[in-house]
Amino acid sequence: MAIRLNYLDGNFEQQFAAFLTTKREVSEDVNAAVKAIIDDVRLRGDEAVAEYSARFDGIDFATTQMRVSAEEIDAAIQAVEPEVLGALKVAAVRIESHHARQRPKDDIYEDTMGVGLGSRWTAIDAVGLYVPGGTASYPSSVLMNALPAKVAGVERIVMVVPANGGKINPAVLAAARLAGVEEIYRIGGAQAVAALAYGTATIAPVAKVVGPGNAYVAAAKRQVFGTVGIDMIAGPSEVLVIADRDNDPDWIAADLLAQAEHDVGAQSILITDDAAFGEAVEAAVERQLKTLPRAETASASWRDFGAIILVPDLDKSIPLANRIAAEHLELALADPEPMVAKIRNAGAIFVGRHTPEVIGDYVGGSNHVLPTARSARFSSGLGVLDYMKRTSILRLDAEQLRILGPAAIALARSEGLEAHARSVAIRLNLGDAG
Amino acid sequence: MAIRLNYLDGNFEQQFAAFLTTKREVSEDVNAAVKAIIDDVRLRGDEAVAEYSARFDGIDFATTQMRVSAEEIDAAIQAVEPEVLGALKVAAVRIESHHARQRPKDDIYEDTMGVGLGSRWTAIDAVGLYVPGGTASYPSSVLMNALPAKVAGVERIVMVVPANGGKINPAVLAAARLAGVEEIYRIGGAQAVAALAYGTATIAPVAKVVGPGNAYVAAAKRQVFGTVGIDMIAGPSEVLVIADRDNDPDWIAADLLAQAEHDVGAQSILITDDAAFGEAVEAAVERQLKTLPRAETASASWRDFGAIILVPDLDKSIPLANRIAAEHLELALADPEPMVAKIRNAGAIFVGRHTPEVIGDYVGGSNHVLPTARSARFSSGLGVLDYMKRTSILRLDAEQLRILGPAAIALARSEGLEAHARSVAIRLNLGDAG
């Protein structure tokens, strides 16, 4: 049974504040082990990568190529069920066309005094995409991470995926092909992150590393940050559903469980204005859990972090939702649009009873890599901008410098930076530079 | 004397590669001390902040208010020299109007099948701006950090600045007023970062902390990251000047020294196609150093990290510049535009002989907070987007769900996520959810 909170309880604020700060992750300190692996890969390159891959993935690069061949990708596509391949294509087309709208425009202009100013966007030259192995090796994540990079114009997208005994999920290779990724290495863990960041004889270094992974991968990303860029380090997933009494409790329960089955640290929250509806959803959750393959994970998540919050009217849910700042927010309401307008903090909003969050995981078109753990208060989901960078451009002629220069000189001197002042003054014959 | 590299040397590539990876910063490990301060501020709030402020800044909050009053800001404006105040106003107007063009547009649309999709931008609710004390207390940085937040629409901008014995640089307070920042606390160090991130009785918490600071501030920002957002952690500044022989060597030398005077770890690089011009610049640097107030810093920087790179023709400088990925790139050329188009990696480009980098530090209009240490390969300068976040919006009706749902179900089942599949299937009457 999930946690119950009632807005009208005298100590609701304290309970809610405590609920907000509940930690849902056990952070494993693997920093020292990861540092040793990274240092070793920097020193010994491919040789170190091969040794760690033999030890952790049981793969021998003396007999198996590190790089996945084009023929293997061709074969993988043949091996994927046609229904799944078709679904991946539907997803790829929709994701690509949505993200194409995120391409930023350059803004190069002259201001009122004729000074040339500009913001110019360019794609990152090379990006590395980490894909986990085993059961978390999701083809949908390959699409979500790789397609925005493709849309951004990244010239080189490199994928790494650990392959236990050499095997990679064929659907992952098929998704890579659909996303235009052809440079794929069957390596994983901290050694793969190090190889991407620093390069080896086989793998040229990239400028940014993205994608989800276990504690070792997350620690490795943190450690190589600065040498390369990284994306956010995702925490366990979460959904907040705001639902009125006119929903089918079974639909809402199914949505809560879809989140809960991800991870024992996942969180599913229902806010409703009807106590009986809340009870009906709780009952539906318990009933549905009985036949769920991942019931063990889902029930632990629901028991430990699930919550049903009762509010006297649904407007009261808005400030709560903005404080929760959920990764996924479902508005299962008759007239959801007014509430959409009042939500400030959410990774993604799923509007109305017929938009279960799962659609956004796969085929909605928007990205499923979204800010977790309340970070939607200050950050955004993955998008095209994450694969680009902006360069400022400034251009003055002699006359414009004569007009603006004195203000720069005054500020430089007031900040005690005389060489700054002189770099302008010398061009205005306002004194030499020594 | 700076390092000399010649493109035509047989081992240029090795020398250049080594030059690129030269570390210019001594990283001080203050993590344990910072963690103790943060934990203490979380536990004891204002009391802890007051104790650390007494110890590190020699300020007693029993006799001095922690918050700077409106009257103090009024008085500070009176105390700033009119020429400096006027220059700050010029800068503020230009920075604000340039950044206003960076405001992102929402994109809410229906796709060809009528599915509602959207990217909606909202400002971060509250932002904390760290301003260093002492000689590095720069009013220009206040404008550069605060104005993009104001343009973004951040409702609450909080400034913290350590005040030795209670004193704050009046120009810093004047810049805050010009940028619309009225909530200012005279605190600094890790205790200020902790107060912003976790809140105290006096200071409500913010959602993001930005601004430069010493090793303690940088470590504190890293440690509170996740609880709040942070901006980049800036390293020592750098400039790359690409100059032909037709420049006045004194102008170029002045530009190199403007960067070098910042910090012993700063880096100034000249690339030219004329050896005699390079020698003339070196001679001018040595000459100008003789009268520079910050000569000790500038000459250490120039000696340890300065470089003159000779290329057989200026086109050869383009791939070098893209690998250096300088924070600041000056193109002091007769016809710079073709080269502007070929530069992919730079924080900001200063075009032509009359655009010294210093103009961009103060009054150009573009931001002077730019990616250092080669991170322009994967990141951008500070801008309006850093104070906003994007929420995805998705809306399907029953019929659209009927069309797209089966692809989502297929992908969910292929990924072993049955609860995901059921959350869609139950809405399509394709089987109940248990």
Side-chain angles (χ1 to χ4, degrees):
Chain A
M1 205 172 90
I3 301 148
R4 307 292 169 99
L5 296 177
N6 187 332
Y7 193 92
L8 297 178
D9 274 358
N11 62 346
F12 173 77
E13 175 54 32
Q14 291 104 292
Q15 289 180 59
F16 184 71
F19 173 71
L20 276 185
T21 53
T22 305
K23 237 176 114 62
R24 283 150 45 209
E25 247 182 318
V26 188
S27 42
E28 220 182 315
D29 188 359
V30 297
N31 279 319
V34 164
K35 184 173 186 307
I37 293 172
I38 292 174
D39 289 346
D40 198 17
V41 171
R42 287 184 72 175
L43 190 70
R44 298 193 300 130
D46 283 336
E47 200 177 300
V49 172
E51 283 178 20
Y52 292 112
S53 299
R55 192 189 311 170
F56 299 128
D57 303 330
I59 186 166
D60 179 2
F61 288 132
T63 55
T64 310
Q65 289 290 313
M66 192 180 289
R67 182 161 175 175
V68 175
S69 69
E71 293 71 33
E72 285 174 86
I73 306 175
D74 294 341
I77 288 188
Q78 298 302 319
V80 175
E81 282 175 61
E83 192 193 7
V84 172
L85 190 63
L88 282 173
K89 286 180 183 168
V90 168
V93 167
R94 291 187 58 83
I95 295 163
E96 188 163 354
S97 72
H98 176 70
H99 285 78
R101 300 175 69 111
Q102 292 181 359
R103 266 195 220 106
K105 284 195 180 63
D106 290 348
D107 183 34
I108 316 280
Y109 65 100
E110 291 190 355
D111 69 10
T112 49
M113 62 182 282
V115 170
L117 284 153
S119 292
R120 190 183 63 184
W121 291 91
T122 44
I124 295 174
D125 290 334
V127 166
L129 165 54
Y130 191 94
V131 178
T135 52
S137 195
Y138 295 140
S140 60
S141 291
V142 173
L143 298 181
M144 293 290 181
N145 280 278
L147 285 169
K150 185 184 170 198
V151 168
V154 174
E155 285 197 9
R156 180 169 164 251
I157 307 175
V158 186
M159 193 171 109
V160 293
V161 50
N164 267 75
K167 272 193 79 73
I168 299 174
N169 177 355
V172 160
L173 294 180
R177 169 67 57 82
L178 289 176
V181 180
E182 293 286 338
E183 185 179 345
I184 305 172
Y185 302 96
R186 57 186 116 238
I187 58 175
Q191 62 275 19
V193 175
L196 289 169
Y198 293 102
T200 70
T202 303
I203 306 174
V206 301
K208 186 164 184 170
V209 177
V210 303
N214 63 18
Y216 287 81
V217 172
K221 280 168 67 180
R222 281 186 200 275
Q223 290 187 25
V224 300
F225 177 58
T227 299
V228 295
I230 61 169
D231 61 346
M232 61 183 121
I233 309 258
S237 200
E238 71 238 358
V239 71
L240 166 60
V241 183
I242 301 179
D244 61 30
R245 76 193 69 181
D246 296 330
N247 287 280
D248 182 332
D250 264 311
W251 291 19
I252 302 303
D255 298 352
L256 296 171
L257 286 172
Q259 211 57 223
E261 77 171 336
H262 269 300
D263 190 281
V264 292
Q267 182 164 55
S268 304
I269 308 168
L270 169 65
I271 303 185
T272 184
D273 59 350
D274 187 300
F277 176 76
E279 294 312 314
V281 171
E282 170 86 57
V285 165
E286 300 299 341
R287 196 166 56 241
Q288 291 180 25
L289 270 170
K290 292 196 181 112
T291 62
L292 207 59
R294 295 172 63 92
E296 202 177 331
T297 300
S299 65
S301 156
W302 179 245
R303 178 192 67 221
D304 295 340
F305 305 114
I308 298 179
I309 304 177
L310 188 65
V311 289
D313 61 89
L314 287 171
D315 272 354
K316 295 283 190 296
S317 66
I318 295 165
L320 304 183
N322 281 329
R323 287 169 70 187
I324 293 171
E327 181 190 14
H328 307 106
L329 171 62
E330 274 189 29
L331 302 181
L333 306 168
D335 179 22
E337 293 296 345
M339 195 175 288
V340 172
K342 290 175 188 154
I343 295 296
R344 296 181 54 80
N345 300 330
I349 306 176
F350 303 86
V351 184
R353 309 189 202 287
H354 299 283
T355 317
E357 182 275 325
V358 168
I359 289 294
D361 286 340
Y362 294 113
V363 294
S366 51
N367 210 290
H368 80 196
V369 181
L370 294 166
T372 58
R374 304 188 64 218
S375 62
R377 292 173 301 132
F378 54 80
S379 64
S380 311
L382 189 70
V384 171
L385 294 184
D386 294 301
Y387 294 104
M388 304 187 78
K389 61 263 181 340
R390 184 173 38 79
T391 296
S392 299
I393 296 172
L394 189 61
R395 190 200 66 229
L396 276 70
D397 65 20
E399 180 55 25
Q400 292 153 359
L401 184 64
R402 190 160 300 283
I403 298 168
L404 284 178
I409 294 171
L411 289 173
R413 295 222 159 104
S414 83
E415 293 185 351
L417 298 173
E418 179 61 22
H420 281 61
R422 291 183 185 178
S423 139
V424 177
I426 195 173
R427 287 173 165 85
L428 304 183
N429 294 315
L430 292 176
D432 67 23
Chain B
M1 204 172 92
I3 301 148
R4 306 293 170 99
L5 296 178
N6 187 333
Y7 194 92
L8 296 179
D9 275 357
N11 62 347
F12 174 78
E13 175 53 33
Q14 290 104 292
Q15 289 180 60
F16 184 73
F19 173 73
L20 277 185
T21 53
T22 304
K23 237 175 114 63
R24 285 152 41 212
E25 249 183 316
V26 188
S27 44
E28 221 183 316
D29 188 0
V30 297
N31 279 320
V34 164
K35 185 173 186 305
I37 294 172
I38 293 174
D39 288 348
D40 198 15
V41 171
R42 288 185 70 174
L43 191 68
R44 298 193 300 130
D46 284 335
E47 201 178 299
V49 172
E51 284 179 20
Y52 291 112
S53 300
R55 192 189 309 170
F56 298 128
D57 303 329
I59 186 166
D60 179 1
F61 287 132
T63 56
T64 310
Q65 290 289 313
M66 191 180 290
R67 182 160 175 176
V68 176
S69 70
E71 293 71 31
E72 285 174 85
I73 306 175
D74 294 341
I77 287 187
Q78 298 301 319
V80 174
E81 282 175 61
E83 192 192 9
V84 173
L85 190 63
L88 281 174
K89 285 179 184 169
V90 168
V93 167
R94 292 188 57 82
I95 295 164
E96 188 162 355
S97 72
H98 176 71
H99 285 79
R101 301 176 68 110
Q102 292 180 0
R103 265 193 220 108
K105 286 196 179 63
D106 290 347
D107 182 34
I108 315 280
Y109 66 99
E110 290 190 355
D111 70 10
T112 48
M113 61 182 281
V115 169
L117 283 154
S119 292
R120 191 181 65 185
W121 291 90
T122 45
I124 295 174
D125 289 336
V127 166
L129 165 54
Y130 190 94
V131 178
T135 52
S137 197
Y138 295 141
S140 59
S141 291
V142 173
L143 298 182
M144 293 290 180
N145 280 278
L147 285 169
K150 185 185 171 199
V151 168
V154 173
E155 286 198 8
R156 180 169 165 251
I157 307 176
V158 186
M159 193 171 108
V160 293
V161 52
N164 267 75
K167 272 193 79 73
I168 299 173
N169 177 357
V172 160
L173 294 180
R177 171 66 57 83
L178 289 176
V181 180
E182 294 286 338
E183 185 179 346
I184 304 172
Y185 301 96
R186 58 187 116 238
I187 57 174
Q191 61 274 19
V193 175
L196 289 169
Y198 293 102
T200 70
T202 304
I203 306 174
V206 301
K208 185 165 184 169
V209 177
V210 302
N214 62 18
Y216 288 81
V217 172
K221 280 167 67 181
R222 280 184 200 277
Q223 288 187 26
V224 300
F225 176 58
T227 299
V228 295
I230 60 170
D231 62 346
M232 61 183 120
I233 309 258
S237 200
E238 72 237 357
V239 72
L240 166 61
V241 183
I242 300 178
D244 60 30
R245 74 192 71 181
D246 297 330
N247 286 281
D248 183 333
D250 263 313
W251 292 19
I252 303 302
D255 298 352
L256 296 171
L257 285 172
Q259 210 57 223
E261 77 170 337
H262 269 298
D263 189 280
V264 293
Q267 182 165 54
S268 304
I269 308 168
L270 168 66
I271 303 185
T272 184
D273 59 349
D274 186 300
F277 176 76
E279 294 310 315
V281 171
E282 170 87 57
V285 165
E286 300 299 340
R287 197 166 57 239
Q288 292 181 25
L289 270 169
K290 293 198 179 108
T291 61
L292 206 59
R294 295 172 63 92
E296 201 177 331
T297 301
S299 64
S301 156
W302 178 245
R303 179 192 65 222
D304 295 340
F305 305 115
I308 298 179
I309 303 177
L310 188 65
V311 289
D313 61 87
L314 287 171
D315 271 355
K316 294 283 190 296
S317 66
I318 295 164
L320 303 183
N322 281 329
R323 288 170 69 186
I324 292 170
E327 182 190 13
H328 307 106
L329 171 62
E330 275 189 29
L331 302 181
L333 305 169
D335 179 22
E337 293 296 344
M339 196 176 287
V340 172
K342 290 175 189 154
I343 296 295
R344 296 181 54 80
N345 299 330
I349 306 177
F350 302 87
V351 183
R353 309 189 201 285
H354 300 284
T355 316
E357 181 276 325
V358 168
I359 289 294
D361 285 341
Y362 295 113
V363 293
S366 51
N367 210 290
H368 79 196
V369 182
L370 293 166
T372 58
R374 304 188 65 218
S375 63
R377 292 173 300 130
F378 53 80
S379 63
S380 311
L382 190 70
V384 171
L385 294 184
D386 294 301
Y387 295 104
M388 304 188 78
K389 62 266 181 336
R390 184 172 39 80
T391 297
S392 300
I393 296 172
L394 188 62
R395 189 201 67 229
L396 276 70
D397 65 19
E399 180 54 25
Q400 291 153 0
L401 184 64
R402 190 160 300 282
I403 297 168
L404 285 178
I409 294 170
L411 289 172
R413 294 220 160 106
S414 83
E415 294 185 350
L417 297 173
E418 178 63 20
H420 280 62
R422 291 182 185 178
S423 139
V424 177
I426 195 173
R427 287 170 165 87
L428 304 183
N429 294 315
L430 293 176
D432 68 22

